PDB file of all heavy atoms in Angstrom:
ATOM      1  N   THR A   6      30.966 -14.353  -2.334  1.00  0.00           N
ATOM      2  CA  THR A   6      32.013 -15.324  -2.055  1.00  0.00           C
ATOM      3  C   THR A   6      31.855 -16.583  -2.881  1.00  0.00           C
ATOM      4  O   THR A   6      30.828 -16.862  -3.394  1.00  0.00           O
ATOM      5  CB  THR A   6      32.036 -15.683  -0.576  1.00  0.00           C
ATOM      6  OG1 THR A   6      30.772 -16.351  -0.343  1.00  0.00           O
ATOM      7  CG2 THR A   6      32.178 -14.539   0.302  1.00  0.00           C
ATOM      8  N   GLN A   7      33.050 -17.274  -3.146  1.00  0.00           N
ATOM      9  CA  GLN A   7      33.057 -18.428  -3.987  1.00  0.00           C
ATOM     10  C   GLN A   7      32.153 -19.429  -3.523  1.00  0.00           C
ATOM     11  O   GLN A   7      31.552 -20.309  -4.348  1.00  0.00           O
ATOM     12  CB  GLN A   7      34.457 -18.893  -4.169  1.00  0.00           C
ATOM     13  CG  GLN A   7      34.599 -19.943  -5.269  1.00  0.00           C
ATOM     14  CD  GLN A   7      36.062 -20.385  -5.460  1.00  0.00           C
ATOM     15  OE1 GLN A   7      36.966 -19.888  -4.771  1.00  0.00           O
ATOM     16  NE2 GLN A   7      36.214 -21.192  -6.475  1.00  0.00           N
ATOM     17  N   ALA A   8      31.917 -19.495  -2.262  1.00  0.00           N
ATOM     18  CA  ALA A   8      31.168 -20.607  -1.633  1.00  0.00           C
ATOM     19  C   ALA A   8      29.675 -20.340  -1.677  1.00  0.00           C
ATOM     20  O   ALA A   8      28.845 -21.237  -1.258  1.00  0.00           O
ATOM     21  CB  ALA A   8      31.556 -20.869  -0.162  1.00  0.00           C
ATOM     22  N   SER A   9      29.185 -19.198  -2.085  1.00  0.00           N
ATOM     23  CA  SER A   9      27.789 -18.907  -2.046  1.00  0.00           C
ATOM     24  C   SER A   9      27.123 -19.397  -3.291  1.00  0.00           C
ATOM     25  O   SER A   9      27.598 -19.167  -4.377  1.00  0.00           O
ATOM     26  CB  SER A   9      27.633 -17.353  -1.913  1.00  0.00           C
ATOM     27  OG  SER A   9      28.232 -16.956  -0.687  1.00  0.00           O
ATOM     28  N   LEU A  10      25.887 -19.946  -3.137  1.00  0.00           N
ATOM     29  CA  LEU A  10      24.976 -20.219  -4.201  1.00  0.00           C
ATOM     30  C   LEU A  10      24.017 -19.073  -4.361  1.00  0.00           C
ATOM     31  O   LEU A  10      23.762 -18.625  -5.508  1.00  0.00           O
ATOM     32  CB  LEU A  10      24.201 -21.612  -3.891  1.00  0.00           C
ATOM     33  CG  LEU A  10      23.215 -22.006  -4.906  1.00  0.00           C
ATOM     34  CD1 LEU A  10      23.959 -22.430  -6.206  1.00  0.00           C
ATOM     35  CD2 LEU A  10      22.387 -23.221  -4.414  1.00  0.00           C
ATOM     36  N   LEU A  11      23.451 -18.673  -3.233  1.00  0.00           N
ATOM     37  CA  LEU A  11      22.535 -17.492  -3.188  1.00  0.00           C
ATOM     38  C   LEU A  11      23.051 -16.449  -2.329  1.00  0.00           C
ATOM     39  O   LEU A  11      23.485 -16.810  -1.203  1.00  0.00           O
ATOM     40  CB  LEU A  11      21.111 -17.919  -2.725  1.00  0.00           C
ATOM     41  CG  LEU A  11      20.100 -16.846  -2.599  1.00  0.00           C
ATOM     42  CD1 LEU A  11      19.531 -16.514  -3.909  1.00  0.00           C
ATOM     43  CD2 LEU A  11      18.872 -17.278  -1.642  1.00  0.00           C
ATOM     44  N   ARG A  12      23.047 -15.215  -2.786  1.00  0.00           N
ATOM     45  CA  ARG A  12      23.464 -14.095  -1.976  1.00  0.00           C
ATOM     46  C   ARG A  12      22.343 -12.999  -1.948  1.00  0.00           C
ATOM     47  O   ARG A  12      22.060 -12.571  -2.974  1.00  0.00           O
ATOM     48  CB  ARG A  12      24.746 -13.506  -2.261  1.00  0.00           C
ATOM     49  CG  ARG A  12      25.184 -12.426  -1.385  1.00  0.00           C
ATOM     50  CD  ARG A  12      26.544 -11.925  -1.841  1.00  0.00           C
ATOM     51  NE  ARG A  12      27.071 -10.771  -0.934  1.00  0.00           N
ATOM     52  CZ  ARG A  12      28.142 -10.065  -1.124  1.00  0.00           C
ATOM     53  NH1 ARG A  12      28.838 -10.188  -2.286  1.00  0.00           N
ATOM     54  NH2 ARG A  12      28.485  -9.177  -0.253  1.00  0.00           N
ATOM     55  N   VAL A  13      21.870 -12.652  -0.788  1.00  0.00           N
ATOM     56  CA  VAL A  13      20.968 -11.581  -0.618  1.00  0.00           C
ATOM     57  C   VAL A  13      21.643 -10.417   0.060  1.00  0.00           C
ATOM     58  O   VAL A  13      22.321 -10.565   1.110  1.00  0.00           O
ATOM     59  CB  VAL A  13      19.706 -11.976   0.222  1.00  0.00           C
ATOM     60  CG1 VAL A  13      18.836 -10.742   0.496  1.00  0.00           C
ATOM     61  CG2 VAL A  13      18.940 -13.064  -0.445  1.00  0.00           C
ATOM     62  N   SER A  14      21.663  -9.255  -0.642  1.00  0.00           N
ATOM     63  CA  SER A  14      22.554  -8.179  -0.126  1.00  0.00           C
ATOM     64  C   SER A  14      21.779  -6.863   0.042  1.00  0.00           C
ATOM     65  O   SER A  14      21.149  -6.289  -0.909  1.00  0.00           O
ATOM     66  CB  SER A  14      23.680  -7.820  -1.129  1.00  0.00           C
ATOM     67  OG  SER A  14      24.361  -8.940  -1.452  1.00  0.00           O
ATOM     68  N   ASP A  15      21.614  -6.423   1.303  1.00  0.00           N
ATOM     69  CA  ASP A  15      21.029  -5.157   1.642  1.00  0.00           C
ATOM     70  C   ASP A  15      19.622  -4.975   0.964  1.00  0.00           C
ATOM     71  O   ASP A  15      19.337  -3.832   0.452  1.00  0.00           O
ATOM     72  CB  ASP A  15      22.005  -4.021   1.243  1.00  0.00           C
ATOM     73  CG  ASP A  15      21.731  -2.709   2.016  1.00  0.00           C
ATOM     74  OD1 ASP A  15      21.164  -2.829   3.122  1.00  0.00           O
ATOM     75  OD2 ASP A  15      21.960  -1.612   1.459  1.00  0.00           O
ATOM     76  N   LEU A  16      18.831  -5.941   1.094  1.00  0.00           N
ATOM     77  CA  LEU A  16      17.539  -5.919   0.357  1.00  0.00           C
ATOM     78  C   LEU A  16      16.502  -5.172   1.207  1.00  0.00           C
ATOM     79  O   LEU A  16      16.240  -5.467   2.390  1.00  0.00           O
ATOM     80  CB  LEU A  16      17.061  -7.398   0.204  1.00  0.00           C
ATOM     81  CG  LEU A  16      16.004  -7.590  -0.887  1.00  0.00           C
ATOM     82  CD1 LEU A  16      16.575  -7.409  -2.271  1.00  0.00           C
ATOM     83  CD2 LEU A  16      15.395  -9.014  -0.786  1.00  0.00           C
ATOM     84  N   SER A  17      15.745  -4.295   0.469  1.00  0.00           N
ATOM     85  CA  SER A  17      14.785  -3.537   1.195  1.00  0.00           C
ATOM     86  C   SER A  17      13.496  -3.453   0.311  1.00  0.00           C
ATOM     87  O   SER A  17      13.550  -3.292  -0.879  1.00  0.00           O
ATOM     88  CB  SER A  17      15.242  -1.975   1.401  1.00  0.00           C
ATOM     89  OG  SER A  17      16.291  -1.957   2.359  1.00  0.00           O
ATOM     90  N   VAL A  18      12.349  -3.597   1.072  1.00  0.00           N
ATOM     91  CA  VAL A  18      11.091  -3.665   0.367  1.00  0.00           C
ATOM     92  C   VAL A  18      10.038  -2.835   1.171  1.00  0.00           C
ATOM     93  O   VAL A  18      10.009  -2.979   2.423  1.00  0.00           O
ATOM     94  CB  VAL A  18      10.474  -5.081   0.141  1.00  0.00           C
ATOM     95  CG1 VAL A  18       9.160  -5.076  -0.503  1.00  0.00           C
ATOM     96  CG2 VAL A  18      11.392  -5.882  -0.683  1.00  0.00           C
ATOM     97  N   ARG A  19       9.376  -1.891   0.448  1.00  0.00           N
ATOM     98  CA  ARG A  19       8.262  -1.137   1.158  1.00  0.00           C
ATOM     99  C   ARG A  19       7.036  -1.304   0.437  1.00  0.00           C
ATOM    100  O   ARG A  19       6.980  -1.310  -0.859  1.00  0.00           O
ATOM    101  CB  ARG A  19       8.704   0.356   1.207  1.00  0.00           C
ATOM    102  CG  ARG A  19       9.946   0.617   2.136  1.00  0.00           C
ATOM    103  CD  ARG A  19      10.209   2.191   2.196  1.00  0.00           C
ATOM    104  NE  ARG A  19      10.551   2.648   0.835  1.00  0.00           N
ATOM    105  CZ  ARG A  19      11.779   2.554   0.276  1.00  0.00           C
ATOM    106  NH1 ARG A  19      12.770   1.936   0.903  1.00  0.00           N
ATOM    107  NH2 ARG A  19      11.990   2.985  -0.909  1.00  0.00           N
ATOM    108  N   PHE A  20       5.945  -1.375   1.140  1.00  0.00           N
ATOM    109  CA  PHE A  20       4.565  -1.322   0.519  1.00  0.00           C
ATOM    110  C   PHE A  20       3.967  -0.030   1.068  1.00  0.00           C
ATOM    111  O   PHE A  20       3.482  -0.025   2.205  1.00  0.00           O
ATOM    112  CB  PHE A  20       3.779  -2.590   0.894  1.00  0.00           C
ATOM    113  CG  PHE A  20       4.416  -3.836   0.451  1.00  0.00           C
ATOM    114  CD1 PHE A  20       4.927  -4.810   1.337  1.00  0.00           C
ATOM    115  CD2 PHE A  20       4.412  -4.187  -0.906  1.00  0.00           C
ATOM    116  CE1 PHE A  20       5.618  -5.945   0.935  1.00  0.00           C
ATOM    117  CE2 PHE A  20       5.056  -5.333  -1.374  1.00  0.00           C
ATOM    118  CZ  PHE A  20       5.571  -6.170  -0.383  1.00  0.00           C
ATOM    119  N   GLY A  21       3.953   0.994   0.330  1.00  0.00           N
ATOM    120  CA  GLY A  21       3.462   2.254   0.734  1.00  0.00           C
ATOM    121  C   GLY A  21       4.295   2.747   1.962  1.00  0.00           C
ATOM    122  O   GLY A  21       5.605   2.786   1.772  1.00  0.00           O
ATOM    123  N   GLY A  22       3.771   2.957   3.055  1.00  0.00           N
ATOM    124  CA  GLY A  22       4.516   3.399   4.278  1.00  0.00           C
ATOM    125  C   GLY A  22       4.983   2.216   5.168  1.00  0.00           C
ATOM    126  O   GLY A  22       5.624   2.442   6.197  1.00  0.00           O
ATOM    127  N   VAL A  23       4.720   1.046   4.733  1.00  0.00           N
ATOM    128  CA  VAL A  23       5.104  -0.159   5.492  1.00  0.00           C
ATOM    129  C   VAL A  23       6.421  -0.665   5.037  1.00  0.00           C
ATOM    130  O   VAL A  23       6.585  -1.028   3.850  1.00  0.00           O
ATOM    131  CB  VAL A  23       3.947  -1.255   5.420  1.00  0.00           C
ATOM    132  CG1 VAL A  23       4.448  -2.461   6.219  1.00  0.00           C
ATOM    133  CG2 VAL A  23       2.712  -0.719   5.961  1.00  0.00           C
ATOM    134  N   VAL A  24       7.391  -0.816   5.987  1.00  0.00           N
ATOM    135  CA  VAL A  24       8.655  -1.395   5.608  1.00  0.00           C
ATOM    136  C   VAL A  24       8.573  -2.926   5.822  1.00  0.00           C
ATOM    137  O   VAL A  24       8.535  -3.346   6.976  1.00  0.00           O
ATOM    138  CB  VAL A  24       9.796  -0.818   6.455  1.00  0.00           C
ATOM    139  CG1 VAL A  24      11.134  -1.440   6.061  1.00  0.00           C
ATOM    140  CG2 VAL A  24       9.890   0.714   6.181  1.00  0.00           C
ATOM    141  N   ALA A  25       8.560  -3.780   4.819  1.00  0.00           N
ATOM    142  CA  ALA A  25       8.508  -5.177   4.875  1.00  0.00           C
ATOM    143  C   ALA A  25       9.887  -5.771   5.110  1.00  0.00           C
ATOM    144  O   ALA A  25      10.024  -6.773   5.808  1.00  0.00           O
ATOM    145  CB  ALA A  25       7.882  -5.756   3.615  1.00  0.00           C
ATOM    146  N   LEU A  26      10.934  -5.260   4.415  1.00  0.00           N
ATOM    147  CA  LEU A  26      12.337  -5.776   4.542  1.00  0.00           C
ATOM    148  C   LEU A  26      13.180  -4.488   4.716  1.00  0.00           C
ATOM    149  O   LEU A  26      13.055  -3.551   3.853  1.00  0.00           O
ATOM    150  CB  LEU A  26      12.712  -6.578   3.444  1.00  0.00           C
ATOM    151  CG  LEU A  26      11.991  -7.969   3.317  1.00  0.00           C
ATOM    152  CD1 LEU A  26      12.494  -8.669   1.980  1.00  0.00           C
ATOM    153  CD2 LEU A  26      12.349  -8.837   4.476  1.00  0.00           C
ATOM    154  N   ALA A  27      14.077  -4.460   5.590  1.00  0.00           N
ATOM    155  CA  ALA A  27      15.025  -3.320   5.766  1.00  0.00           C
ATOM    156  C   ALA A  27      16.437  -3.755   5.822  1.00  0.00           C
ATOM    157  O   ALA A  27      16.975  -4.148   6.864  1.00  0.00           O
ATOM    158  CB  ALA A  27      14.678  -2.639   7.096  1.00  0.00           C
ATOM    159  N   GLY A  28      17.104  -3.716   4.628  1.00  0.00           N
ATOM    160  CA  GLY A  28      18.544  -4.033   4.526  1.00  0.00           C
ATOM    161  C   GLY A  28      18.937  -5.404   4.893  1.00  0.00           C
ATOM    162  O   GLY A  28      19.862  -5.560   5.563  1.00  0.00           O
ATOM    163  N   ILE A  29      18.229  -6.379   4.388  1.00  0.00           N
ATOM    164  CA  ILE A  29      18.543  -7.841   4.790  1.00  0.00           C
ATOM    165  C   ILE A  29      19.581  -8.399   3.915  1.00  0.00           C
ATOM    166  O   ILE A  29      19.607  -8.268   2.676  1.00  0.00           O
ATOM    167  CB  ILE A  29      17.213  -8.671   4.542  1.00  0.00           C
ATOM    168  CG1 ILE A  29      16.014  -8.204   5.386  1.00  0.00           C
ATOM    169  CG2 ILE A  29      17.517 -10.123   4.806  1.00  0.00           C
ATOM    170  CD1 ILE A  29      16.318  -8.145   6.862  1.00  0.00           C
ATOM    171  N   SER A  30      20.586  -8.974   4.640  1.00  0.00           N
ATOM    172  CA  SER A  30      21.711  -9.676   3.907  1.00  0.00           C
ATOM    173  C   SER A  30      22.016 -11.045   4.528  1.00  0.00           C
ATOM    174  O   SER A  30      21.912 -11.060   5.700  1.00  0.00           O
ATOM    175  CB  SER A  30      22.950  -8.814   3.988  1.00  0.00           C
ATOM    176  OG  SER A  30      22.809  -7.506   3.349  1.00  0.00           O
ATOM    177  N   PHE A  31      22.217 -12.021   3.674  1.00  0.00           N
ATOM    178  CA  PHE A  31      22.676 -13.343   4.143  1.00  0.00           C
ATOM    179  C   PHE A  31      23.040 -14.107   2.859  1.00  0.00           C
ATOM    180  O   PHE A  31      22.763 -13.766   1.777  1.00  0.00           O
ATOM    181  CB  PHE A  31      21.617 -14.046   4.996  1.00  0.00           C
ATOM    182  CG  PHE A  31      20.368 -14.442   4.217  1.00  0.00           C
ATOM    183  CD1 PHE A  31      20.268 -15.705   3.698  1.00  0.00           C
ATOM    184  CD2 PHE A  31      19.293 -13.591   4.050  1.00  0.00           C
ATOM    185  CE1 PHE A  31      19.190 -16.076   2.908  1.00  0.00           C
ATOM    186  CE2 PHE A  31      18.163 -13.931   3.371  1.00  0.00           C
ATOM    187  CZ  PHE A  31      18.037 -15.187   2.764  1.00  0.00           C
ATOM    188  N   GLU A  32      23.564 -15.262   3.131  1.00  0.00           N
ATOM    189  CA  GLU A  32      24.050 -16.199   1.973  1.00  0.00           C
ATOM    190  C   GLU A  32      23.633 -17.544   2.282  1.00  0.00           C
ATOM    191  O   GLU A  32      23.495 -17.968   3.402  1.00  0.00           O
ATOM    192  CB  GLU A  32      25.577 -16.103   1.817  1.00  0.00           C
ATOM    193  CG  GLU A  32      26.129 -14.720   1.491  1.00  0.00           C
ATOM    194  CD  GLU A  32      27.596 -14.719   1.200  1.00  0.00           C
ATOM    195  OE1 GLU A  32      28.213 -15.763   1.137  1.00  0.00           O
ATOM    196  OE2 GLU A  32      28.154 -13.594   0.984  1.00  0.00           O
ATOM    197  N   VAL A  33      23.442 -18.312   1.138  1.00  0.00           N
ATOM    198  CA  VAL A  33      23.150 -19.803   1.181  1.00  0.00           C
ATOM    199  C   VAL A  33      24.260 -20.445   0.405  1.00  0.00           C
ATOM    200  O   VAL A  33      24.356 -20.261  -0.819  1.00  0.00           O
ATOM    201  CB  VAL A  33      21.820 -20.108   0.712  1.00  0.00           C
ATOM    202  CG1 VAL A  33      21.625 -21.670   0.752  1.00  0.00           C
ATOM    203  CG2 VAL A  33      20.690 -19.385   1.418  1.00  0.00           C
ATOM    204  N   ALA A  34      25.024 -21.373   1.100  1.00  0.00           N
ATOM    205  CA  ALA A  34      26.123 -22.101   0.385  1.00  0.00           C
ATOM    206  C   ALA A  34      25.556 -23.338  -0.267  1.00  0.00           C
ATOM    207  O   ALA A  34      24.511 -23.898   0.198  1.00  0.00           O
ATOM    208  CB  ALA A  34      27.253 -22.507   1.454  1.00  0.00           C
ATOM    209  N   PRO A  35      26.152 -23.860  -1.323  1.00  0.00           N
ATOM    210  CA  PRO A  35      25.687 -25.122  -1.939  1.00  0.00           C
ATOM    211  C   PRO A  35      25.565 -26.256  -0.891  1.00  0.00           C
ATOM    212  O   PRO A  35      26.464 -26.391  -0.019  1.00  0.00           O
ATOM    213  CB  PRO A  35      26.772 -25.406  -2.981  1.00  0.00           C
ATOM    214  CG  PRO A  35      27.385 -24.062  -3.281  1.00  0.00           C
ATOM    215  CD  PRO A  35      27.374 -23.309  -1.988  1.00  0.00           C
ATOM    216  N   GLY A  36      24.530 -27.056  -0.956  1.00  0.00           N
ATOM    217  CA  GLY A  36      24.375 -28.224  -0.080  1.00  0.00           C
ATOM    218  C   GLY A  36      24.063 -27.917   1.329  1.00  0.00           C
ATOM    219  O   GLY A  36      24.158 -28.865   2.187  1.00  0.00           O
ATOM    220  N   THR A  37      23.727 -26.705   1.686  1.00  0.00           N
ATOM    221  CA  THR A  37      23.374 -26.304   3.048  1.00  0.00           C
ATOM    222  C   THR A  37      21.889 -26.099   3.186  1.00  0.00           C
ATOM    223  O   THR A  37      21.179 -25.750   2.274  1.00  0.00           O
ATOM    224  CB  THR A  37      24.170 -25.134   3.616  1.00  0.00           C
ATOM    225  OG1 THR A  37      23.843 -23.949   2.776  1.00  0.00           O
ATOM    226  CG2 THR A  37      25.619 -25.397   3.446  1.00  0.00           C
ATOM    227  N   ILE A  38      21.449 -26.159   4.406  1.00  0.00           N
ATOM    228  CA  ILE A  38      20.016 -25.821   4.797  1.00  0.00           C
ATOM    229  C   ILE A  38      19.994 -24.624   5.683  1.00  0.00           C
ATOM    230  O   ILE A  38      20.641 -24.620   6.713  1.00  0.00           O
ATOM    231  CB  ILE A  38      19.315 -26.997   5.467  1.00  0.00           C
ATOM    232  CG1 ILE A  38      19.346 -28.248   4.524  1.00  0.00           C
ATOM    233  CG2 ILE A  38      17.925 -26.636   5.777  1.00  0.00           C
ATOM    234  CD1 ILE A  38      18.698 -29.496   5.230  1.00  0.00           C
ATOM    235  N   VAL A  39      19.306 -23.648   5.201  1.00  0.00           N
ATOM    236  CA  VAL A  39      19.181 -22.344   6.012  1.00  0.00           C
ATOM    237  C   VAL A  39      17.751 -22.209   6.374  1.00  0.00           C
ATOM    238  O   VAL A  39      16.825 -22.184   5.505  1.00  0.00           O
ATOM    239  CB  VAL A  39      19.750 -21.168   5.165  1.00  0.00           C
ATOM    240  CG1 VAL A  39      19.533 -19.848   6.032  1.00  0.00           C
ATOM    241  CG2 VAL A  39      21.201 -21.272   4.819  1.00  0.00           C
ATOM    242  N   GLY A  40      17.548 -21.957   7.694  1.00  0.00           N
ATOM    243  CA  GLY A  40      16.224 -21.733   8.181  1.00  0.00           C
ATOM    244  C   GLY A  40      15.942 -20.198   8.295  1.00  0.00           C
ATOM    245  O   GLY A  40      16.841 -19.505   8.775  1.00  0.00           O
ATOM    246  N   LEU A  41      14.748 -19.777   7.831  1.00  0.00           N
ATOM    247  CA  LEU A  41      14.456 -18.385   7.997  1.00  0.00           C
ATOM    248  C   LEU A  41      13.235 -18.294   8.900  1.00  0.00           C
ATOM    249  O   LEU A  41      12.112 -18.806   8.667  1.00  0.00           O
ATOM    250  CB  LEU A  41      14.017 -17.879   6.595  1.00  0.00           C
ATOM    251  CG  LEU A  41      13.855 -16.373   6.410  1.00  0.00           C
ATOM    252  CD1 LEU A  41      15.101 -15.608   6.747  1.00  0.00           C
ATOM    253  CD2 LEU A  41      13.422 -16.017   4.948  1.00  0.00           C
ATOM    254  N   ILE A  42      13.466 -17.691  10.137  1.00  0.00           N
ATOM    255  CA  ILE A  42      12.361 -17.632  11.073  1.00  0.00           C
ATOM    256  C   ILE A  42      11.985 -16.187  11.452  1.00  0.00           C
ATOM    257  O   ILE A  42      12.636 -15.271  11.138  1.00  0.00           O
ATOM    258  CB  ILE A  42      12.749 -18.394  12.362  1.00  0.00           C
ATOM    259  CG1 ILE A  42      13.961 -17.648  13.090  1.00  0.00           C
ATOM    260  CG2 ILE A  42      13.211 -19.800  12.013  1.00  0.00           C
ATOM    261  CD1 ILE A  42      14.318 -18.278  14.444  1.00  0.00           C
ATOM    262  N   GLY A  43      10.860 -16.101  12.196  1.00  0.00           N
ATOM    263  CA  GLY A  43      10.420 -14.777  12.658  1.00  0.00           C
ATOM    264  C   GLY A  43       8.901 -14.887  12.902  1.00  0.00           C
ATOM    265  O   GLY A  43       8.226 -15.707  12.347  1.00  0.00           O
ATOM    266  N   PRO A  44       8.410 -13.924  13.695  1.00  0.00           N
ATOM    267  CA  PRO A  44       6.950 -13.923  14.028  1.00  0.00           C
ATOM    268  C   PRO A  44       6.151 -13.521  12.656  1.00  0.00           C
ATOM    269  O   PRO A  44       6.782 -13.171  11.718  1.00  0.00           O
ATOM    270  CB  PRO A  44       6.791 -12.767  15.105  1.00  0.00           C
ATOM    271  CG  PRO A  44       8.183 -12.563  15.588  1.00  0.00           C
ATOM    272  CD  PRO A  44       9.141 -12.957  14.496  1.00  0.00           C
ATOM    273  N   ASN A  45       4.850 -13.727  12.719  1.00  0.00           N
ATOM    274  CA  ASN A  45       3.983 -13.281  11.654  1.00  0.00           C
ATOM    275  C   ASN A  45       4.279 -11.817  11.273  1.00  0.00           C
ATOM    276  O   ASN A  45       4.463 -10.894  12.168  1.00  0.00           O
ATOM    277  CB  ASN A  45       2.580 -13.445  11.952  1.00  0.00           C
ATOM    278  CG  ASN A  45       2.146 -14.802  11.968  1.00  0.00           C
ATOM    279  OD1 ASN A  45       2.676 -15.681  11.257  1.00  0.00           O
ATOM    280  ND2 ASN A  45       1.114 -15.215  12.776  1.00  0.00           N
ATOM    281  N   GLY A  46       4.413 -11.486  10.006  1.00  0.00           N
ATOM    282  CA  GLY A  46       4.705 -10.137   9.573  1.00  0.00           C
ATOM    283  C   GLY A  46       6.065  -9.713   9.625  1.00  0.00           C
ATOM    284  O   GLY A  46       6.501  -8.625   9.385  1.00  0.00           O
ATOM    285  N   ALA A  47       6.971 -10.713   9.847  1.00  0.00           N
ATOM    286  CA  ALA A  47       8.508 -10.426   9.967  1.00  0.00           C
ATOM    287  C   ALA A  47       9.052 -10.077   8.604  1.00  0.00           C
ATOM    288  O   ALA A  47      10.164  -9.512   8.517  1.00  0.00           O
ATOM    289  CB  ALA A  47       9.202 -11.559  10.628  1.00  0.00           C
TER     290      ALA A  47
END
């Protein structure tokens, strides 16, 4: 979208058999603050 500065789309990362990220999507618009939270290992 035109308002997006950063766009993460359907991102997946595996380390061997460990799924570290499974289809993550979100956007960061210019001049905004986005918090990324979750327990250890999220």
Side-chain angles (χ1 to χ4, degrees):
T6 62
Q7 190 174 5
S9 296
L10 180 68
L11 177 77
R12 183 181 181 186
V13 176
S14 305
D15 201 25
L16 200 70
S17 295
V18 176
R19 293 181 299 277
F20 299 110
V23 177
V24 178
L26 294 174
I29 301 300
S30 299
F31 67 92
E32 298 184 7
V33 179
T37 62
I38 302 175
V39 176
L41 192 61
I42 66 171
N45 288 330

